[in-house]
Amino acid sequence: MSTPSQFRAIVVDTETDAAGVIQQTAGLHLVDDDSLAPGDVTIDVQFSSINYKDGLALCGKPGVVRVWPLIAGIDIVGVVTGSTDPRWSAGDTVIQNGAGLGERLNGGLAERARVDGASLVRLPDGLTAQQAAAIGTAGFTAMLAVMTLERQGVTPASGPVLVTGAAGGVGSVAISLLAGRGFEVHALTGRRAQLGDYLRGLGATHLVDRAELATVGKPLQTQRWAAVVDSVGSATLANALAQTNYGGVVAACGLAQGADLPTTVMPFILRAVTLAGINSVDAPLALREEAWQRLARELDISQLEALTTVIALDEAFDAAERILAGGVHGRTVVDVRA
């Protein structure tokens, strides 16, 4: 029987098999407050989400979790129950994305969390807690990418923008944000027949077959894009760079295909292409607050809700397997109370 100090959490740990091989495991457990990380703000978590990183962690893949045992989940949306940080008081609804959650700090796939208040953002007016979780790290990252393109001078008059990994969380929100600003958005996907209507509904005007960019091509190719938002990496990113217009900008924020980048310096020194990295994990507080305020004002909430699926905490493992298999589109919100 549980006690008031106990709560449910998805915990990632390691175990040694009969052959002496250390393997990473994940399971839903009943834990107590001693499992919480040090921090100055305690939160009753309402919602988290399933991102690609969460998929890796929950399916035992290396590269995300760095300490064990660890509560998974790189997103938290919930209500403050206690705080020694003067910025926060009991009853405040707050958001935390990245900042080490689910990697080196206990995360949001749990009913309770304790965090450092310095990277928390207040739930913006106009968003519910569930909508904020639907945006999550993926939508936050998409907004950072769009802001980067804008700061580099990319406008709708510059020409088409390619969004890779278009049906994923980052890609879906990026398409919606860019289309809402009047950009001509080209969506790269391997599921045109299955998800074409979905992507057009978000605002994509052209669908590009993923296979066109999936294998390494020439270092310079026909110029096609004024800008790119890429969450795929590897050969796809290399080809996107090779096809970007003179003076164009590529915002790179993911590695779904791989962490390698098989390219040359030619796009940079012969076409003045800018490769801009997007790091949502360590984004400073001022940038976090700006991005979230803009998401609340500018993202089409009806589109967000249409691309969102809500699941219970114990369904997170199936969702993790599907996201790694490429079987998920849009955003998956976890109601940790269910």
Side-chain angles (χ1 to χ4, degrees):
M1 181 177 295
S2 65
T3 69
S5 67
Q6 293 180 311
F7 59 95
R8 295 182 305 151
I10 293 179
V11 179
V12 181
D13 208 341
T14 59
E15 63 180 25
T16 303
D17 65 18
V21 178
I22 298 176
Q23 296 181 331
Q24 185 171 281
T25 64
L28 180 59
H29 299 284
L30 191 65
V31 300
D32 58 33
D33 284 348
D34 290 339
S35 299
L36 294 174
D40 49 18
V41 179
T42 303
I43 299 168
D44 275 350
V45 182
Q46 297 175 321
F47 299 99
S48 188
S49 69
I50 300 296
N51 300 275
Y52 191 77
K53 283 184 177 179
D54 300 311
L56 292 171
L58 268 59
C59 292
K61 306 295 184 182
V64 173
V65 177
R66 302 173 192 174
V67 297
W68 300 268
L70 189 78
I71 296 173
I74 66 173
D75 286 334
I76 289 174
V77 182
V79 177
V80 174
T81 57
S83 173
T84 58
D85 182 327
R87 293 178 63 222
W88 306 111
S89 301
D92 290 339
T93 303
V94 293
I95 303 165
Q96 190 170 43
N97 312 112
L101 294 178
E103 298 182 60
R104 54 182 175 80
L105 300 174
N106 285 333
L109 287 171
E111 295 173 311
R112 195 172 303 155
R114 185 179 295 130
V115 301
D116 180 358
S119 57
L120 287 174
V121 174
R122 194 176 305 277
L123 179 71
D125 292 339
L127 289 180
T128 66
Q130 182 174 304
Q131 290 165 350
I135 294 169
T137 289
F140 174 57
T141 302
M143 177 56 85
L144 293 180
V146 171
M147 290 165 62
T148 294
L149 299 188
E150 291 177 343
R151 288 168 179 165
Q152 292 289 333
V154 180
T155 69
S158 302
V161 177
L162 177 69
V163 176
T164 72
V170 174
S172 295
V173 177
I175 291 170
S176 179
L177 290 170
L178 289 164
R181 287 163 175 73
F183 284 92
E184 178 184 325
V185 183
H186 294 210
L188 185 77
T189 178
R191 296 180 282 173
R192 287 192 296 177
Q194 177 186 358
L195 297 176
D197 290 344
Y198 165 78
L199 295 170
R200 292 187 187 95
L202 293 175
T205 57
H206 295 73
L207 303 182
V208 182
D209 193 324
R210 180 172 60 198
E212 291 186 29
L213 276 70
T215 57
V216 178
K218 295 179 180 179
L220 287 179
Q221 302 169 33
T222 300
Q223 298 179 53
R224 302 173 69 182
W225 327 111
V228 179
V229 175
D230 176 67
S231 58
V232 177
S234 191
T236 297
L237 176 54
N239 286 317
L241 287 163
Q243 296 177 11
T244 297
N245 297 348
Y246 182 92
V249 182
V250 177
C253 59
L255 43 65
Q257 185 180 12
D260 59 315
L261 183 56
T263 188
T264 71
V265 299
M266 290 184 183
F268 312 114
I269 65 173
L270 296 183
R271 289 188 180 160
V273 172
T274 296
L275 176 59
I278 307 300
N279 177 359
S280 61
V281 173
D282 300 310
L285 181 60
L287 185 59
R288 290 175 181 272
E289 291 176 333
E290 179 186 359
W292 273 101
Q293 288 299 324
R294 289 192 57 177
L295 284 161
R297 293 194 308 267
E298 301 172 24
L299 185 60
D300 186 324
I301 297 302
S302 63
Q303 287 186 347
L304 176 70
E305 293 185 339
L307 62 84
T308 299
T309 300
V310 181
I311 63 173
L313 186 58
D314 62 1
E315 298 175 287
F317 300 98
D318 288 340
E321 291 179 358
R322 292 196 305 273
I323 200 169
L324 294 191
V328 171
H329 67 275
R331 296 285 292 138
T332 301
V333 169
V334 181
D335 185 342
V336 303
R337 304 161 300 181

